[in-house]
Amino acid sequence: MKKWLFLLCLLLIIPVRADAVSVSGKVTSQTSVRISLKGKSEYKYWRIRRIIHDKNGGYAGYKKIKLLKTSTKKYTVKKLKKNKEYDFEIAYGNKKDGKFKPEFYDYVYNVFTGVSRPCWHDYASSDAAFSTSYIDLWGFRESEGLAAKGIQIYRKVKGGSYKKIKTIKKQSFTFRDKKVKKGKTYYYKMRSYGTYKGKKIYSPWSETLKRFAGNKVGKFTSKIISSDMESVEIKLTSDKYNSALKMSPDAFFFRDGDEEEEVGLTITKYSLDGKAWKKPEKITLKAGQSIYLILETKGMQDLRDLKSIESDYVAYDSWPCFFYLDLNGSGSTPHNDEFIH
């Protein structure tokens, strides 16, 4: 069971406190967390247990930390590991026959024993702007953990080494990296930094963010090579600053008649040179590359008059996109936001 699902089950199944006392957790060092009570309780005791998770974040049991009287409002859990997230169960109750009997529960979640971590925005890969001259980065710093003074952003190209390109002092940020080269793919990571007892300390590294200095919306041109009633052959060319375009054989359709009824098209063959043909499963068109496609329909429509085709789902820069293509003209791949979001 995943960690978030386990915690949700606890909230739904186990009775939670109903009186005026509340509980909170705060990291006090890289190896300790202070658990605090606020308010008054009708019960005489409270028990702290650490929730143990397996390597996949699922529930793996509890470790008893301390049983205290509710007149004691604070307790520091020590000997924890650095840069790790901890969850605690707090039980309230009284003793019966010398044994503690829990009645209600509270929880302290996601206490992080390190400098507050930086994260990329959920849509930093899909929605943040980029072009052949800049790449925008969206990020923020979490509130959990020791106070951070700033965030360091590092960058590299494939096969290269990471170098620091920016230090940011804000809690959340948008940073525009203008020192990029057209058509290059870049990898970004970041870490927070702070001080503890006069020594500089760092958070763990963020996830790696892959970004491309090219066309955010793909640019394409097409040329009709031949056509008859049942099929049309086109040459499709990708701009040299495009990202890769991936499509399935049945991705395309055209709109027919006054009602613009959608009529499906199938790519039955493709070729890189117009001579050697292959049957497609998945088709990838790389930047600056041309590809020849033979499209057919199972309907009775005459494809000799075909002017444009489109798709609701191709992948451009690894994201779901529409594809609008004028035959003997140009095409583009705007994001399909319904799929992305």
Side-chain angles (χ1 to χ4, degrees):
M1 181 184 291
K2 295 294 185 181
K3 178 180 175 181
W4 67 269
L5 184 58
F6 163 71
L7 297 177
L8 178 61
C9 290
L10 288 180
L11 290 173
L12 294 175
I13 297 173
I14 299 177
V16 180
R17 289 225 33 78
D19 62 9
V21 71
S22 61
V23 64
S24 62
K26 182 179 180 180
V27 60
T28 54
S29 77
Q30 290 182 289
T31 57
S32 60
V33 170
R34 184 173 65 237
I35 308 295
S36 301
L37 292 184
K38 185 178 180 180
K40 294 183 179 181
S41 173
E42 62 183 280
Y43 299 102
K44 292 183 178 180
Y45 295 92
W46 60 299
R47 183 189 66 194
I48 304 172
R49 294 199 302 183
R50 178 162 61 84
I51 301 172
I52 300 172
H53 301 283
D54 59 28
K55 63 181 181 180
N56 297 317
Y59 168 71
Y62 296 94
K63 180 180 179 180
K64 182 179 176 181
I65 303 298
K66 192 72 174 180
L67 179 66
L68 301 157
K69 289 185 176 181
T70 50
S71 58
T72 301
K73 299 297 184 182
K74 297 179 181 179
Y75 183 80
T76 300
V77 183
K78 300 180 179 180
K79 297 182 179 180
L80 300 174
K81 294 182 179 180
K82 296 180 181 179
N83 294 323
K84 187 175 179 180
E85 203 170 80
Y86 287 94
D87 301 314
F88 299 91
E89 175 207 77
I90 312 301
Y92 304 85
N94 296 316
K95 285 186 177 181
K96 185 175 182 180
D97 298 327
K99 293 185 178 181
F100 174 70
K101 183 180 179 182
E103 296 289 344
F104 291 97
Y105 297 82
D106 276 345
Y107 297 91
V108 175
Y109 299 131
N110 304 327
V111 185
F112 180 67
T113 55
V115 180
S116 59
R117 295 165 292 188
C119 297
W120 301 114
H121 188 281
D122 287 345
Y123 298 118
S125 293
S126 61
D127 291 9
F130 65 91
S131 72
T132 56
S133 59
Y134 66 84
I135 292 172
D136 281 356
L137 304 174
W138 295 350
F140 64 94
R141 195 171 66 241
E142 293 180 340
S143 57
E144 295 85 5
L146 297 168
K149 292 187 174 182
I151 298 171
Q152 297 174 338
I153 300 177
Y154 285 71
R155 187 190 75 183
K156 76 167 188 174
V157 294
K158 187 175 182 180
S161 57
Y162 279 103
K163 294 182 180 180
K164 185 169 64 176
I165 62 169
K166 185 68 175 179
T167 298
I168 293 174
K169 300 294 181 71
K170 295 180 180 179
Q171 181 80 22
S172 61
F173 66 88
T174 294
F175 167 62
R176 175 160 289 184
D177 182 8
K178 296 181 179 180
K179 296 181 180 180
V180 298
K181 294 182 179 180
K182 294 180 179 180
K184 285 284 188 181
T185 297
Y186 293 91
Y187 300 84
Y188 298 88
K189 66 179 182 179
M190 55 184 174
R191 63 180 179 179
S192 300
Y193 67 92
T195 57
Y196 181 72
K197 292 184 176 180
K199 183 180 178 181
K200 198 168 189 177
I201 56 175
Y202 298 93
S203 73
W205 289 105
S206 70
E207 293 182 347
T208 300
L209 181 69
K210 182 181 177 182
R211 302 302 311 277
F212 171 63
N215 298 323
K216 183 174 176 64
V217 176
K219 298 178 181 179
F220 300 86
T221 57
S222 72
K223 180 181 179 181
I224 296 176
I225 304 300
S226 64
S227 64
D228 56 33
M229 290 187 65
E230 298 178 350
S231 68
V232 59
E233 179 186 342
I234 66 170
K235 180 182 179 181
L236 179 64
T237 301
S238 175
D239 185 86
K240 65 179 179 179
Y241 297 126
N242 277 353
S243 186
L245 173 72
K246 296 184 179 181
M247 48 194 169
S248 62
D250 58 351
F252 290 97
F253 61 89
F254 68 94
R255 299 184 184 273
D256 185 51
D258 294 336
E259 301 297 325
E260 293 196 331
E261 177 186 358
E262 292 183 5
V263 179
L265 290 165
T266 301
I267 301 171
T268 56
K269 295 179 182 179
Y270 77 97
S271 172
L272 297 179
D273 59 7
K275 298 177 182 178
W277 294 90
K278 298 180 180 179
K279 289 186 177 181
E281 292 182 1
K282 291 288 185 179
I283 303 168
T284 299
L285 180 59
K286 298 179 180 179
Q289 187 182 50
S290 293
I291 194 170
Y292 295 82
L293 305 173
I294 293 180
L295 299 104
E296 298 182 2
T297 179
K298 294 180 180 178
M300 301 300 292
Q301 290 80 4
D302 187 345
L303 296 185
R304 290 176 296 183
D305 296 324
L306 192 61
K307 296 293 190 297
S308 64
I309 62 175
E310 57 189 279
S311 174
D312 289 336
Y313 191 93
V314 296
Y316 175 78
D317 193 33
S318 300
W319 294 104
C321 291
F322 298 103
F323 192 7
Y324 302 110
L325 182 65
D326 291 329
L327 302 186
N328 283 332
S330 61
S332 63
T333 54
H335 276 185
N336 188 332
D337 290 332
E338 184 177 349
F339 276 92
I340 295 173
H341 299 148

